[in-house]
Amino acid sequence: MKVSIVIGSKTDMELAEAAGEILKQLDVDYSINVLSAHRMPEYLQEHIKATIADGTKVFIGIAGMAAHLAGNIAAHTSLPVIGVPGDGGPLNGFDALLSTVQMPKGVPVATVAIGKAGAINAGHLAAQILSVADERLQNSISEARIANKEQLKKENDELQVS
Amino acid sequence: MKVSIVIGSKTDMELAEAAGEILKQLDVDYSINVLSAHRMPEYLQEHIKATIADGTKVFIGIAGMAAHLAGNIAAHTSLPVIGVPGDGGPLNGFDALLSTVQMPKGVPVATVAIGKAGAINAGHLAAQILSVADERLQNSISEARIANKEQLKKENDELQVS
Amino acid sequence: MKVSIVIGSKTDMELAEAAGEILKQLDVDYSINVLSAHRMPEYLQEHIKATIADGTKVFIGIAGMAAHLAGNIAAHTSLPVIGVPGDGGPLNGFDALLSTVQMPKGVPVATVAIGKAGAINAGHLAAQILSVADERLQNSISEARIANKEQLKKENDELQVS
Amino acid sequence: MKVSIVIGSKTDMELAEAAGEILKQLDVDYSINVLSAHRMPEYLQEHIKATIADGTKVFIGIAGMAAHLAGNIAAHTSLPVIGVPGDGGPLNGFDALLSTVQMPKGVPVATVAIGKAGAINAGHLAAQILSVADERLQNSISEARIANKEQLKKENDELQVS
Amino acid sequence: MKVSIVIGSKTDMELAEAAGEILKQLDVDYSINVLSAHRMPEYLQEHIKATIADGTKVFIGIAGMAAHLAGNIAAHTSLPVIGVPGDGGPLNGFDALLSTVQMPKGVPVATVAIGKAGAINAGHLAAQILSVADERLQNSISEARIANKEQLKKENDELQVS
Amino acid sequence: MKVSIVIGSKTDMELAEAAGEILKQLDVDYSINVLSAHRMPEYLQEHIKATIADGTKVFIGIAGMAAHLAGNIAAHTSLPVIGVPGDGGPLNGFDALLSTVQMPKGVPVATVAIGKAGAINAGHLAAQILSVADERLQNSISEARIANKEQLKKENDELQVS
Amino acid sequence: MKVSIVIGSKTDMELAEAAGEILKQLDVDYSINVLSAHRMPEYLQEHIKATIADGTKVFIGIAGMAAHLAGNIAAHTSLPVIGVPGDGGPLNGFDALLSTVQMPKGVPVATVAIGKAGAINAGHLAAQILSVADERLQNSISEARIANKEQLKKENDELQVS
Amino acid sequence: MKVSIVIGSKTDMELAEAAGEILKQLDVDYSINVLSAHRMPEYLQEHIKATIADGTKVFIGIAGMAAHLAGNIAAHTSLPVIGVPGDGGPLNGFDALLSTVQMPKGVPVATVAIGKAGAINAGHLAAQILSVADERLQNSISEARIANKEQLKKENDELQVS
């Protein structure tokens, strides 16, 4: 278990799976848990300890509105914590963005974009972090990026209008 | 000890004292603690338990930026928790407001205005909450309000320009 | 009648009922009235006096846009007033949030989240306030929270993906 | 007394005087009162009735933060009410703007710009409203505008750089 | 012709009609024109002159996005100009609100709420302005308000839940 | 006269001069005029015609708050119009940005950054536009950019810390 | 090839075509390419060089969210670059607007409105820029504008309600 | 050289040094370079390649306004890139936050808080990322955190008011 993805409520499962999908493609182990920082803080803290003991090296916290989840995880570990602001609620995730990114000195959360794009990028960022000490993973990431680039180039060559 | 005021960092001491001043005027006991939800979560949790055992009935959490403090307290008690968004940082407390008020279902934070006005009102609101079961306090609050109203009326009668 | 829920227009009835539902589950008496602060200020003032005489201890004001309702109630009583910013209108309740929470010194409104989540939390918060002097209610609230926590824990145990 | 200027607190006196100054220049009678909608609602309502009886035809309400003052006046009269959002507080009057302008159907507030520019324009707008039925005032306003325009033209002719 | 309603594009016709409907109910004459300040400035200026010659006393300008229409009308007349920020476009009228209300010293626009509620209130405000010198209209407005108030009171008496 | 810089009030003269300074460095002729779109619309229109007759090819409109100036110029010419949102007023130019950039279909304003940086860039952009048909100017711009780049490179080589 | 339209992803093709449509009507050559500044920076740089060699005089960059595309193009050429903030994502293009317009000193992006209206205006602005040195194009633009104006005038004459 | 800190202009040197200070305390090598993504893109790209060849494993990009710097670095490497939104300019870094965090799918930037707090946290986050494969560093980080926690606890024990 290298990456622990935690969501604050089941409604964010689609975002968790989007992050997980990227990790699966890069052959990185991960788990998904639904553990609200506000409704079950003790279980969240238990999970953090247990999953670190199990070998987790990076956390991804995904939550909407007053999104305290990633910040809460970061308060209980010095491992890197990635935060994805959920896009639910009447403010479309603008509240979650500020609640996730504006962390005080000493307890950073590595925040990515609001919603689906951010969840996908949380998967990419978690892999990048693990790749710092894993040359094989670094190569997989680079290769996937180059393949994507060439695919986009090809699409542009075919699509272009003039 | 009826009200526990908690701030996330010493820089918010002025706000804590503004809230405390109102409680002092109304003869309500209170304590002030500096306990960051992110930098010392275990000590915050210990404090919550200890102060409730000591008779605390209402909490006031004051914090800026990604203000998780009041929400964190609310995650550990079912007593009423008032949140004051601090006005520090480049966004002037707008981030703290959203981080404090947009709590998920089941874990409310009674949020008041950003900064000094909010801190003062947190003192008033804590007293109002305690007054629900304390007729003497209810009377003190009403009398203070009426005195204030008459004072403002008098000032207007003297000041008015026509 | 312990809690008086007031909405500014019939379009907010769903929010009023969401707050009421929580109170019903906790066996707390409440009433719902549709009394616009702008279109029928005298009737709103009459209601405030009458319902306090009837035993109301906490108010919940729910309104959208330039949401003055909760603030208006707070101007006429020293009892705790909870404000729920409605999420209607082109700004999705962002205007109602600022109009509800940014109250001046001396007249607090205990503001909760915008829209449905806030309405539900207004119910919870009203019960928490009443529970300060009602041990039985305090126990009901704690038990409901623990039951919810264990239910979520169970769902996570079953749902989790790894 | 043609125009009643009301401010919510003494801190807005400078704005009230800016509005009054314009009215004085146009020879329109006005009064200034400090009557908080939240701290002294009964005295505000008394003032509205009394000043209408005295001949007031237009109101100017100036307030900051959760600025309910103009909206409150509008709830008690069908005469035109102008609202000036004060620029005080950590959000620089952005909250006051939304609280003043986003009024519900049936109870308009004629909102002008935040702060000093708005206060000055409230004076102009009040005079324009009164001028609808006062040809002499209409002429004074037009003449002042033309004089201002020619002055600015002259300044440009002198200042211009090329 | 007492009130000239001008919209910047046909897409705002629904808003113009909402304003007109209120004026019709109060028996106030009005016209509707589609005259873009940006695409046909000369025709807009011609219209302003012609309609004033025809007896127009109040203007209503309705436009979205960078809404310059009401401000443009105000630049060409000293009569009262009401501005309605249209709610179209990706920012839901937030841009139109700021473009309409933040007018510089000397050229006020009486701004009302964004979108439909604002359009309706523009009708009410125009009538209120005309009523300053028209006792019959003042009575019609008051009577309509009281009828509305009593209707809402009756609805509340029937609807209320307890 | 190749570029006409217009400001809405003397308070924006510093911004006009910042734009002019860039044009002077590139040896492009320009004029500066203070012509408010709201307070002197006829003189603004006269200026637009006169300066085009004089050879102006690009306009720069600089204004704050409800910044209609650049949009107004664009309504009266099909030449390129650059808009600089002024940073004055309580909203720091955020209102001016939206009022300048959100122009309706058919009447674009080429908007640059708020305040000083934008004013400087308006100078650069005006020169770039003129350079499309002026190879000598194109070369001057390229050379200035390369010189700036090499200067920054040199500063980095000297400053760098490791 | 006079104008090079570049989009960051295929999802913005509709916006590219809206810009292209205007250029086609004015008989201005253009190309459309899908070249992400983040996913294929080398290909973007290659394209910029190649298309300038081919005669491109103006660029249009269209991108959403953290829209760096237009700014990136501007970093690699001194020709005028127009930026269209895409309206996709949870913030409706508000993020793209700020990412496009707030460029640092020396590297302007001529920013137009968010989304469809902006894309259309990017076409108009590109043509206006080219027209500075192309009298025939200047005439075509003027004629199209006048035709549009007269059409709108005719529609108003037919539509108007009074 | 483990961490490369890059700023877009000398005005952000204080932020770069705040990040560097944290790394120095944790004995992590770093360099600081001033390389604008817009004014010297080729030199920035050269630096990225050279510093990776030198052993850099994590980048920190610090920039204000339309902050493209971190995103630009991320476009040229698959190593983790941390973005710090600078707090300069009229929008206080709100523009820089959105320009940094809202990256498209596939190219994440690990964004931290606006300004000084974010710069300090960028140092912490870079160390956390490197610590994933460096037990000694992990221990240093944990020890520093615990020491900080105990220091804050001691301060609270001494400071507390009751």
Side-chain angles (χ1 to χ4, degrees):
Chain A
M1 214 56 63
K2 293 290 182 45
V3 179
S4 165
I5 303 172
V6 185
I7 51 180
S9 102
K10 274 181 297 185
T11 56
D12 289 323
M13 185 55 84
E14 192 193 335
L15 296 180
E17 285 168 350
E21 185 58 30
I22 299 297
L23 293 170
K24 191 178 292 173
Q25 286 168 15
L26 291 165
D27 217 17
V28 175
D29 284 348
Y30 67 95
S31 62
I32 296 178
N33 281 272
V34 190
L35 292 162
S36 163
H38 293 119
R39 281 173 290 212
M40 43 205 304
E42 302 86 355
Y43 288 124
L44 175 60
Q45 292 173 30
E46 273 178 26
H47 166 73
I48 295 168
K49 275 185 209 154
T51 199
I52 290 175
D54 257 29
T56 282
K57 295 296 183 201
V58 179
F59 286 86
I60 296 175
I62 305 176
M65 298 179 64
H68 299 190
L69 182 59
N72 257 273
I73 298 173
H76 289 283
T77 178
S78 293
L79 290 171
V81 178
I82 299 167
V84 182
D87 56 358
L91 301 183
N92 294 331
F94 184 66
D95 41 4
L97 171 59
L98 295 180
S99 301
T100 302
V101 78
Q102 287 292 80
M103 291 291 290
K105 293 175 204 171
V107 192
V109 165
T111 307
V112 290
I114 299 169
K116 191 74 173 289
I120 288 170
N121 275 351
H124 285 291
L125 181 57
Q128 289 179 341
I129 290 171
L130 291 170
S131 82
V132 164
D134 180 344
E135 214 169 316
R136 195 196 51 75
L137 182 55
Q138 219 171 104
N139 291 340
S140 303
I141 295 172
S142 291
E143 280 158 21
R145 242 208 215 199
I146 291 169
N148 179 246
K149 186 192 299 193
E150 296 308 320
Q151 173 62 22
L152 291 171
K153 175 66 166 64
K154 212 180 122 207
E155 284 176 32
N156 182 42
D157 289 346
E158 288 163 15
L159 263 174
Q160 77 181 253
V161 181
S162 62
Chain B
M1 213 57 61
K2 294 291 183 44
V3 178
S4 166
I5 303 173
V6 185
I7 53 181
S9 102
K10 274 179 299 184
T11 56
D12 289 323
M13 185 54 82
E14 194 193 335
L15 296 180
E17 286 169 350
E21 185 60 30
I22 299 298
L23 293 170
K24 191 177 292 172
Q25 287 167 16
L26 292 165
D27 218 18
V28 175
D29 283 347
Y30 68 94
S31 63
I32 296 179
N33 281 272
V34 190
L35 292 163
S36 162
H38 293 120
R39 282 173 289 212
M40 43 206 301
E42 302 85 356
Y43 289 123
L44 175 60
Q45 292 173 30
E46 275 178 24
H47 167 72
I48 295 168
K49 273 183 209 155
T51 201
I52 290 174
D54 257 31
T56 283
K57 296 295 183 203
V58 178
F59 286 86
I60 296 175
I62 305 177
M65 298 179 63
H68 301 189
L69 182 59
N72 256 271
I73 298 172
H76 289 283
T77 178
S78 293
L79 291 170
V81 178
I82 298 168
V84 181
D87 56 359
L91 301 184
N92 294 331
F94 183 67
D95 40 3
L97 170 59
L98 295 180
S99 301
T100 302
V101 77
Q102 288 292 82
M103 292 291 291
K105 292 175 205 171
V107 192
V109 166
T111 305
V112 290
I114 299 170
K116 190 74 173 288
I120 288 169
N121 275 351
H124 285 291
L125 181 57
Q128 289 179 341
I129 290 172
L130 291 170
S131 83
V132 165
D134 179 343
E135 212 168 319
R136 194 196 52 75
L137 182 55
Q138 221 172 103
N139 290 340
S140 303
I141 295 172
S142 291
E143 281 158 22
R145 245 209 213 197
I146 290 169
N148 179 246
K149 187 192 298 192
E150 296 308 319
Q151 173 62 23
L152 291 171
K153 175 65 165 66
K154 210 179 125 207
E155 284 176 33
N156 182 43
D157 289 346
E158 288 162 15
L159 264 174
Q160 78 181 251
V161 182
S162 62
Chain C
M1 213 55 63
K2 292 291 183 43
V3 178
S4 165
I5 303 173
V6 185
I7 52 180
S9 102
K10 274 182 297 184
T11 57
D12 289 323
M13 186 54 85
E14 192 194 335
L15 296 179
E17 285 168 351
E21 184 59 29
I22 299 297
L23 293 170
K24 190 178 293 171
Q25 287 167 15
L26 292 164
D27 217 17
V28 176
D29 284 348
Y30 67 94
S31 62
I32 297 179
N33 282 271
V34 190
L35 292 163
S36 163
H38 293 120
R39 282 172 289 212
M40 43 206 303
E42 302 85 357
Y43 289 123
L44 175 60
Q45 292 172 30
E46 275 178 23
H47 166 73
I48 295 169
K49 274 185 210 154
T51 199
I52 290 175
D54 257 30
T56 282
K57 295 295 183 201
V58 179
F59 286 86
I60 296 175
I62 305 177
M65 297 180 65
H68 299 190
L69 181 59
N72 256 273
I73 298 173
H76 289 282
T77 178
S78 293
L79 290 170
V81 178
I82 299 168
V84 182
D87 56 358
L91 300 184
N92 294 330
F94 183 66
D95 41 3
L97 171 59
L98 295 179
S99 301
T100 303
V101 77
Q102 288 292 83
M103 292 290 291
K105 294 175 205 171
V107 192
V109 166
T111 306
V112 290
I114 299 169
K116 190 74 173 289
I120 288 170
N121 275 351
H124 286 290
L125 182 57
Q128 290 180 340
I129 290 172
L130 291 170
S131 83
V132 165
D134 179 343
E135 213 168 319
R136 195 195 51 75
L137 181 56
Q138 220 172 104
N139 290 340
S140 304
I141 294 172
S142 291
E143 280 158 22
R145 244 209 215 198
I146 290 169
N148 179 246
K149 186 192 300 193
E150 296 308 320
Q151 173 61 23
L152 291 172
K153 175 64 167 64
K154 210 180 125 208
E155 284 176 30
N156 182 44
D157 289 345
E158 288 163 14
L159 263 176
Q160 78 182 254
V161 181
S162 63
Chain D
M1 214 56 61
K2 292 290 183 45
V3 179
S4 165
I5 303 173
V6 185
I7 52 180
S9 102
K10 274 181 299 185
T11 57
D12 289 323
M13 185 55 82
E14 193 193 337
L15 297 180
E17 285 169 350
E21 185 59 30
I22 299 297
L23 293 170
K24 190 177 295 173
Q25 287 167 16
L26 291 164
D27 219 18
V28 175
D29 283 347
Y30 67 94
S31 62
I32 297 179
N33 281 273
V34 190
L35 292 163
S36 163
H38 294 120
R39 282 174 289 213
M40 43 207 300
E42 302 85 355
Y43 289 124
L44 175 60
Q45 292 173 28
E46 274 178 25
H47 166 73
I48 296 169
K49 274 184 211 155
T51 200
I52 291 176
D54 257 31
T56 282
K57 295 295 184 203
V58 179
F59 286 86
I60 296 176
I62 305 177
M65 297 179 65
H68 301 189
L69 181 59
N72 255 272
I73 299 172
H76 290 282
T77 177
S78 293
L79 290 170
V81 178
I82 299 168
V84 182
D87 56 358
L91 301 184
N92 295 330
F94 183 66
D95 41 3
L97 170 59
L98 296 180
S99 301
T100 302
V101 77
Q102 288 292 82
M103 291 292 291
K105 294 175 204 171
V107 191
V109 166
T111 305
V112 290
I114 299 170
K116 190 76 172 288
I120 288 170
N121 275 351
H124 286 290
L125 182 56
Q128 289 179 341
I129 290 171
L130 291 170
S131 82
V132 165
D134 179 343
E135 212 168 320
R136 195 197 51 76
L137 181 56
Q138 218 170 105
N139 290 340
S140 303
I141 294 172
S142 292
E143 280 158 21
R145 243 207 213 199
I146 290 168
N148 179 246
K149 186 192 299 194
E150 296 308 320
Q151 174 62 22
L152 291 171
K153 175 64 166 65
K154 211 179 124 208
E155 284 176 32
N156 183 43
D157 289 346
E158 288 163 14
L159 264 175
Q160 78 182 249
V161 181
S162 64
Chain E
M1 213 56 62
K2 292 289 183 47
V3 179
S4 165
I5 303 172
V6 184
I7 53 180
S9 103
K10 272 181 299 185
T11 57
D12 289 323
M13 186 54 84
E14 193 193 336
L15 296 179
E17 285 169 351
E21 184 60 30
I22 299 296
L23 293 169
K24 189 177 295 172
Q25 288 167 14
L26 292 164
D27 218 17
V28 176
D29 283 349
Y30 67 95
S31 62
I32 296 178
N33 281 272
V34 189
L35 291 163
S36 162
H38 294 119
R39 282 174 289 213
M40 44 207 300
E42 302 85 356
Y43 289 124
L44 175 60
Q45 293 171 30
E46 275 178 24
H47 166 73
I48 295 168
K49 275 185 210 154
T51 199
I52 290 174
D54 257 29
T56 282
K57 296 294 183 202
V58 179
F59 286 86
I60 297 175
I62 305 177
M65 297 180 65
H68 300 189
L69 182 58
N72 257 272
I73 298 172
H76 289 283
T77 178
S78 294
L79 290 170
V81 178
I82 299 168
V84 182
D87 56 359
L91 301 183
N92 294 331
F94 183 66
D95 41 3
L97 171 59
L98 295 180
S99 302
T100 302
V101 77
Q102 288 291 83
M103 292 291 289
K105 295 174 204 172
V107 192
V109 165
T111 306
V112 290
I114 300 169
K116 190 74 172 289
I120 288 170
N121 275 351
H124 286 290
L125 181 57
Q128 289 180 341
I129 291 171
L130 291 170
S131 82
V132 164
D134 180 343
E135 214 169 319
R136 195 197 50 75
L137 182 55
Q138 220 172 105
N139 290 340
S140 304
I141 294 173
S142 292
E143 280 158 21
R145 246 209 212 196
I146 290 167
N148 180 246
K149 186 192 300 195
E150 297 307 321
Q151 173 61 24
L152 291 171
K153 175 65 167 63
K154 211 180 123 207
E155 283 176 32
N156 182 43
D157 289 346
E158 287 162 14
L159 263 175
Q160 78 181 251
V161 181
S162 64
Chain F
M1 214 56 62
K2 292 290 183 44
V3 178
S4 165
I5 304 172
V6 185
I7 53 180
S9 102
K10 274 181 298 185
T11 58
D12 289 323
M13 185 53 83
E14 194 194 336
L15 296 180
E17 286 169 350
E21 185 59 31
I22 299 297
L23 293 170
K24 190 178 295 173
Q25 286 169 15
L26 292 165
D27 219 19
V28 176
D29 284 347
Y30 67 94
S31 62
I32 297 179
N33 281 273
V34 190
L35 292 162
S36 163
H38 293 119
R39 282 173 289 213
M40 44 207 299
E42 302 85 355
Y43 288 125
L44 175 61
Q45 292 172 30
E46 274 177 24
H47 167 72
I48 295 168
K49 273 184 210 154
T51 200
I52 291 174
D54 256 31
T56 282
K57 296 295 183 202
V58 179
F59 286 86
I60 297 175
I62 305 178
M65 297 180 63
H68 300 190
L69 181 59
N72 256 271
I73 298 172
H76 289 282
T77 178
S78 294
L79 290 170
V81 178
I82 299 168
V84 182
D87 56 359
L91 301 184
N92 294 330
F94 183 66
D95 42 3
L97 171 58
L98 296 180
S99 301
T100 302
V101 77
Q102 288 291 82
M103 292 290 291
K105 293 176 205 171
V107 191
V109 166
T111 306
V112 290
I114 299 168
K116 190 74 173 290
I120 288 170
N121 275 352
H124 286 290
L125 181 57
Q128 289 179 342
I129 290 170
L130 290 169
S131 83
V132 165
D134 179 343
E135 212 168 320
R136 196 196 50 76
L137 182 55
Q138 218 170 105
N139 290 339
S140 303
I141 294 172
S142 292
E143 281 158 21
R145 243 207 214 201
I146 290 168
N148 179 246
K149 187 193 297 194
E150 295 309 320
Q151 174 61 24
L152 291 171
K153 176 64 167 64
K154 211 180 124 207
E155 284 176 32
N156 183 43
D157 289 346
E158 288 162 15
L159 264 175
Q160 77 182 251
V161 181
S162 63
Chain G
M1 213 56 62
K2 293 291 184 44
V3 179
S4 165
I5 303 172
V6 185
I7 51 180
S9 101
K10 274 181 297 185
T11 56
D12 289 323
M13 185 55 83
E14 192 193 337
L15 296 179
E17 286 169 350
E21 184 60 30
I22 299 298
L23 294 170
K24 191 177 294 172
Q25 287 168 16
L26 291 164
D27 216 18
V28 176
D29 284 347
Y30 67 95
S31 62
I32 296 178
N33 282 271
V34 189
L35 292 163
S36 163
H38 294 120
R39 283 173 289 213
M40 43 206 302
E42 302 85 356
Y43 289 123
L44 175 60
Q45 293 173 29
E46 274 178 25
H47 166 73
I48 296 169
K49 275 185 210 153
T51 199
I52 290 174
D54 258 30
T56 282
K57 295 296 183 201
V58 179
F59 286 87
I60 296 174
I62 304 177
M65 297 178 63
H68 300 191
L69 182 59
N72 256 271
I73 297 172
H76 290 282
T77 178
S78 293
L79 290 170
V81 178
I82 299 167
V84 182
D87 55 359
L91 301 183
N92 295 330
F94 183 66
D95 41 3
L97 170 59
L98 294 179
S99 301
T100 301
V101 78
Q102 288 291 82
M103 290 292 290
K105 294 175 203 171
V107 191
V109 166
T111 306
V112 290
I114 299 169
K116 190 74 173 289
I120 288 169
N121 274 352
H124 285 291
L125 181 57
Q128 289 179 341
I129 290 170
L130 291 170
S131 82
V132 165
D134 180 343
E135 213 169 319
R136 195 197 50 76
L137 182 55
Q138 220 171 104
N139 291 340
S140 303
I141 295 172
S142 292
E143 280 158 21
R145 245 209 213 198
I146 291 168
N148 179 246
K149 186 192 300 193
E150 296 308 321
Q151 173 61 23
L152 291 171
K153 175 65 166 65
K154 212 181 123 207
E155 284 175 32
N156 182 43
D157 289 345
E158 288 162 14
L159 262 175
Q160 77 181 251
V161 182
S162 63
Chain H
M1 212 57 60
K2 294 289 184 44
V3 179
S4 165
I5 304 173
V6 185
I7 53 181
S9 103
K10 274 180 299 185
T11 57
D12 289 323
M13 185 55 82
E14 193 193 336
L15 296 180
E17 286 168 350
E21 185 58 30
I22 299 297
L23 293 170
K24 190 177 294 172
Q25 287 168 16
L26 292 165
D27 218 19
V28 176
D29 284 348
Y30 68 94
S31 62
I32 297 178
N33 282 273
V34 189
L35 292 163
S36 163
H38 294 120
R39 282 173 289 213
M40 44 206 301
E42 302 85 355
Y43 288 124
L44 175 61
Q45 292 173 30
E46 275 178 24
H47 166 73
I48 295 168
K49 274 184 209 155
T51 201
I52 291 174
D54 257 29
T56 282
K57 296 295 184 202
V58 180
F59 286 86
I60 297 175
I62 305 177
M65 296 179 65
H68 300 190
L69 182 59
N72 256 272
I73 298 173
H76 288 283
T77 178
S78 293
L79 289 170
V81 178
I82 299 167
V84 182
D87 56 359
L91 301 184
N92 295 331
F94 183 66
D95 42 3
L97 170 59
L98 295 180
S99 301
T100 302
V101 77
Q102 288 292 81
M103 292 290 292
K105 293 175 205 172
V107 191
V109 165
T111 306
V112 289
I114 299 169
K116 190 73 173 290
I120 288 170
N121 275 351
H124 285 290
L125 181 57
Q128 289 180 341
I129 290 171
L130 290 170
S131 83
V132 164
D134 179 343
E135 213 169 319
R136 196 196 51 75
L137 181 56
Q138 220 171 103
N139 291 339
S140 303
I141 294 172
S142 292
E143 281 158 21
R145 246 210 212 196
I146 291 169
N148 180 245
K149 186 192 298 194
E150 296 308 319
Q151 174 61 23
L152 291 171
K153 175 63 165 66
K154 211 179 123 206
E155 284 176 31
N156 182 43
D157 289 346
E158 288 162 15
L159 264 175
Q160 77 182 252
V161 181
S162 65

